[in-house]
């Protein structure tokens, strides 16, 4: 091992994989500023844009997922997999990493598999209560498996498991912008409560439809709305809000630290990272889990907070009819708000990225 650490990180497809990977990279950089860190992603996926914005170099693989249903897209999967394995082999051979870290997503499979075959130390992080297929496949090959929830022994080898929690970006952990600065940034009014709507990094059609259909009633609660619609629903969100001045629509919010500071209430999917960020923000939220998520893991994620009186939950099928009612209840009940905010503090794990970085550095020392 040279004095200068060389680290490959792969994770992508959604913000739930990308942002933990960036948080881990940032934590390693803080501990070892001399580290050379490069990312590997999937061509055409959002990591190819988001990782460079965080200041890291990224290389793309021509890889896509295997569809769960019968589809012609699966016909190209074997060729793409072989191509990605060969490309990963060249990346590992050229970069000579001291460790390879994966956070899930299409590209992390070929990269971590190849790295393990070449006897490079490997670590993966699983964000959810139910693991993704890539991490399940990699579990037997990697050295260390960092997880966010207890009782993961039924999915992974027990001797490899380290419970670390979910890493979130430093900007979200610290939330340094002021309230006034954050409101001004988005063009929101001071002295008016803000409802932040985040359907996940790619948006959420059913949530967006429910908001569009109930937008006037939500605004009548004396709220202003900051709405991350996702690119697919941006036109619909723009049209729904066109007659109202107290709605700000963005297809994607890069400055989520300012969004959390500006908000007073949140409507969100229940992905593991979204939940971890809302816990860090300490804001009362209504979670609308994605029902098609594997093994309904988003509902399991949300219920961990709901059972601890640290959040509210609404089924997606009920969103259109009941989103106004549940938001109205939250906005009008200050005792409920105080209870949720107090209980959110019990779920905080601010050192997850540091823990994962420490585990990575331990593996390098053992090399």
């Amino acid at each position: 091992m040279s004095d200068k650490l060389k680290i490959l990180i792969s994770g992508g497809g959604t913000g739930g994989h990308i942002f933990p990977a960036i948080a881990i990279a940032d934590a390693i950089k803080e501990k070892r500023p001399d580290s050379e860190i490069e990312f590997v992603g999937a061509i055409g996926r959002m990591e190819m844009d988001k990782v460079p914005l965080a200041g890291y170099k990224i290389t793309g693989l021509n890889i896509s997922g295997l569809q769960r249903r019968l589809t012609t897209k699966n016909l190209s999967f074997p060729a793409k997999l072989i191509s990605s394995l060969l490309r990963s082999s060249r990346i590992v051979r050229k970069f000579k990493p001291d460790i390879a870290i994966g956070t899930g997503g299409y590209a992390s499979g070929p990269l971590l598999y190849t790295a393990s075959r070449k006897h490079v130390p490997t670590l993966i992080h699983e964000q959810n209560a139910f693991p993704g297929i890539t991490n399940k496949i990699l579990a037997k090959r990697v050295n260390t498996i960092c997880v966010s929830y207890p009782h993961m022994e039924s999915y992974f080898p027990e001797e490899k498991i380290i419970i670390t929690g979910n890493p979130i970006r430093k900007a979200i952990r610290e939330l340094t912008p002021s309230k006034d600065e954050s409101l001004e940034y988005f063009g929101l009014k001071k002295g008016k409560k803000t409802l932040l709507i985040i359907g996940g990094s790619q948006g959420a059609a059913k949530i967006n439809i429910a908001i569009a259909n109930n937008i006037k009633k939500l605004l009548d609660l004396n709220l202003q709305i900051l709405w991350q619609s996702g690119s697919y629903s941006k036109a619909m969100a723009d049209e729904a809000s066109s007659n109202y001045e107290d709605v700000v629509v963005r297809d994607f919010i890069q400055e989520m630290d300012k969004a959390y500071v500006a908000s007073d209430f949140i409507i969100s999917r229940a992905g593991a990272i979204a939940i971890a960020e809302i816990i860090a923000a300490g804001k009362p939220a209504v979670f609308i889990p994605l029902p098609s998520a594997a093994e309904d893991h988003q509902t399991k994620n949300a219920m961990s907070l709901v059972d601890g009186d640290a959040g509210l939950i609404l089924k997606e099928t009920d969103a259109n009819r009941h989103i106004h009612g549940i938001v109205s209840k939250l906005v009008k009940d200050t005792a409920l708000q105080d209870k949720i905010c107090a209980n959110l503090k019990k779920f905080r794990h601010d050192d997850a990225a540091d823990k994962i970085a420490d585990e990575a550095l331990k593996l390098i020392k053992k090399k």
Side-chain angles (χ1 to χ4, degrees):
M1 184 183 73
S2 63
D3 290 335
K4 183 178 183 179
L5 298 186
K6 303 190 77 174
I7 295 160
L8 279 178
I9 301 179
S10 183
T14 68
H17 295 312
I18 298 164
F19 297 128
I22 292 171
I24 294 166
D26 289 346
I28 292 172
K29 268 289 188 184
E30 282 195 5
K31 294 173 185 293
R32 290 292 302 266
D34 60 327
S35 300
E36 184 179 349
I37 300 175
E38 290 194 10
F39 280 71
V40 176
I43 292 170
R45 305 294 290 184
M46 65 183 293
E47 60 265 28
M48 302 307 293
D49 295 323
K50 304 308 173 191
V51 167
L53 285 174
Y56 296 101
K57 180 181 176 183
I58 186 167
T59 301
L61 302 179
N62 184 25
I63 185 70
S64 58
L66 186 64
Q67 304 298 309
R68 294 178 186 273
R69 64 187 188 282
L70 289 175
T71 170
T72 54
K73 289 183 179 179
N74 283 338
L75 296 176
S76 64
F77 178 76
K80 286 185 175 182
L81 178 60
I82 292 168
S83 169
S84 295
L85 287 167
L86 292 172
R87 176 76 168 138
S88 295
S89 182
R90 288 194 292 271
I91 290 169
V92 171
R93 186 169 64 248
K94 182 180 178 182
F95 188 69
K96 296 182 174 61
D98 293 300
I99 191 169
I101 299 170
T103 59
Y106 304 148
S108 66
L111 183 77
L112 272 287
Y113 176 82
T114 301
S116 69
R117 286 286 302 269
K118 293 181 179 294
H119 307 292
V120 174
T122 48
L123 177 152
I124 58 175
H125 177 262
E126 175 55 53
Q127 297 89 39
N128 290 294
F130 183 83
I133 188 169
T134 299
N135 280 348
K136 280 201 251 184
I137 291 169
L138 290 172
K140 291 181 181 179
R141 301 201 63 91
V142 300
N143 300 102
T144 299
I145 303 170
C146 296
V147 300
S148 305
Y149 294 88
H151 314 302
M152 299 293 282
E153 298 83 7
S154 55
Y155 308 114
F156 300 134
E158 185 174 1
E159 69 276 7
K160 296 183 181 182
I161 294 174
I162 308 280
I163 299 176
T164 58
N166 264 317
I168 57 175
R169 293 163 285 176
K170 183 180 180 182
I172 306 298
R173 293 198 309 270
E174 297 182 353
L175 294 179
T176 54
S178 69
K179 182 87 168 182
D180 286 353
E181 174 193 352
S182 300
L183 290 169
E184 185 178 347
Y185 181 84
F186 291 108
L188 295 164
K189 295 176 181 176
K190 298 176 184 178
K192 197 164 195 175
K193 299 289 187 181
T194 302
L195 173 64
L196 171 63
I197 299 157
I198 39 176
S201 55
Q202 300 176 91
K206 296 288 178 65
I207 293 177
N208 288 330
I209 290 168
I211 297 300
N213 290 340
N214 288 272
I215 195 163
K216 184 179 186 304
K217 289 193 288 184
L218 291 170
L219 292 170
D220 285 346
L221 296 171
N222 197 28
L223 294 172
Q224 57 188 342
I225 295 174
L226 176 56
W227 186 357
Q228 179 181 275
S229 64
S231 57
Y232 297 118
S233 297
K234 178 70 161 54
M236 181 194 70
D238 283 338
E239 183 179 354
S241 61
S242 60
N243 294 324
Y244 304 102
E245 64 175 26
D246 287 333
V247 184
V248 175
V249 177
R250 297 283 181 89
D251 57 347
F252 182 82
I253 300 174
Q254 181 69 28
E255 308 80 4
M256 282 304 299
D257 54 342
K258 292 185 177 73
Y260 286 126
V261 171
S263 70
D264 298 281
F265 312 102
I266 300 171
I267 293 173
S268 175
R269 283 296 194 205
I273 302 307
I275 284 182
E277 291 190 349
I278 288 167
I279 289 169
K283 302 293 174 73
V286 176
F287 295 103
I288 305 178
L290 177 68
S292 61
E295 298 296 311
D296 199 21
H297 71 255
Q298 286 207 5
T299 296
K300 293 173 185 174
N301 292 346
M303 287 308 299
S304 66
L305 293 191
V306 174
D307 289 341
D309 291 326
L312 302 176
I313 190 169
L314 179 64
K315 287 184 179 180
E316 186 182 83
T317 52
D318 294 333
N320 196 49
R321 287 175 295 155
H322 297 305
I323 201 162
H324 169 259
I326 198 167
V327 172
S328 177
K329 173 185 175 183
L330 184 59
V331 168
K332 294 176 180 178
D333 191 340
T334 55
L336 176 61
Q337 295 167 27
D338 292 343
K339 180 170 71 172
I340 288 174
C341 292
N343 287 326
L344 280 170
K345 294 176 183 176
K346 301 173 185 176
F347 289 86
R348 288 194 68 143
H349 295 284
D350 289 343
D351 57 352
D354 283 332
K355 285 181 179 177
I356 297 167
D358 286 340
E359 292 300 325
L361 295 174
K362 282 182 197 174
L363 280 178
I364 293 171
K365 286 181 181 177
K366 289 179 183 177
K367 183 180 172 184

